[in-house]
Amino acid sequence: MRRGFVLFFHNFSTFLGRAGIYLEDLYVTPEHRGRSYGKGLLRQLARIEVERGCMWLEWWCLDWNKPSIDFYLSLGAEPMKDWTVYRIAGDTLAKLAQ
């Protein structure tokens, strides 16, 4: 029985000249939440991070997702205040592609 999963990939900082890991998705099935499965998944991802010599683990979280934010803060995660996410999509993307 699957209780959850983590989807991640490497990223690279040109500022630091080092690799990190970007956590694309962390999912624990609703019936298994609150039982430390999410923490266990992140702990294993941190082990992979350290074994590979990476410098950080980062991800996005929607600002209204208080349960997830509280969970991440409980692990010692810090919100990145110096970065803004930008996106080009739809007609704007098509126009840029011309």
Side-chain angles (χ1 to χ4, degrees):
M1 169 195 292
R2 296 190 196 274
R3 293 175 178 90
F5 70 88
V6 172
L7 176 64
F8 69 95
F9 55 85
H10 284 275
N11 56 10
F12 188 82
S13 170
T14 55
F15 297 118
L16 301 174
R18 297 293 303 262
I21 286 182
Y22 183 78
L23 172 61
E24 178 66 30
D25 205 353
L26 167 67
Y27 178 77
V28 175
T29 59
E31 63 272 16
H32 292 99
R33 292 178 188 163
R35 298 184 187 178
S36 297
Y37 289 111
K39 186 174 183 178
L41 288 167
L42 284 175
R43 180 175 281 129
Q44 182 58 35
L45 188 54
R47 288 183 190 119
I48 292 168
E49 176 95 15
V50 170
E51 288 171 4
R52 295 182 182 182
C54 298
M55 296 297 296
W56 60 84
L57 172 59
E58 61 187 7
W59 61 92
W60 293 1
C61 182
L62 294 166
D63 58 7
W64 53 260
N65 191 344
K66 184 158 175 35
S68 292
I69 292 169
D70 290 345
F71 169 64
Y72 299 140
L73 292 175
S74 77
L75 298 174
E78 298 177 16
M80 301 295 292
K81 294 180 172 53
D82 298 333
W83 293 89
T84 301
V85 177
Y86 291 90
R87 177 177 290 172
I88 295 177
D91 292 341
T92 305
L93 179 62
K95 182 177 178 181
L96 181 61
Q98 293 177 353

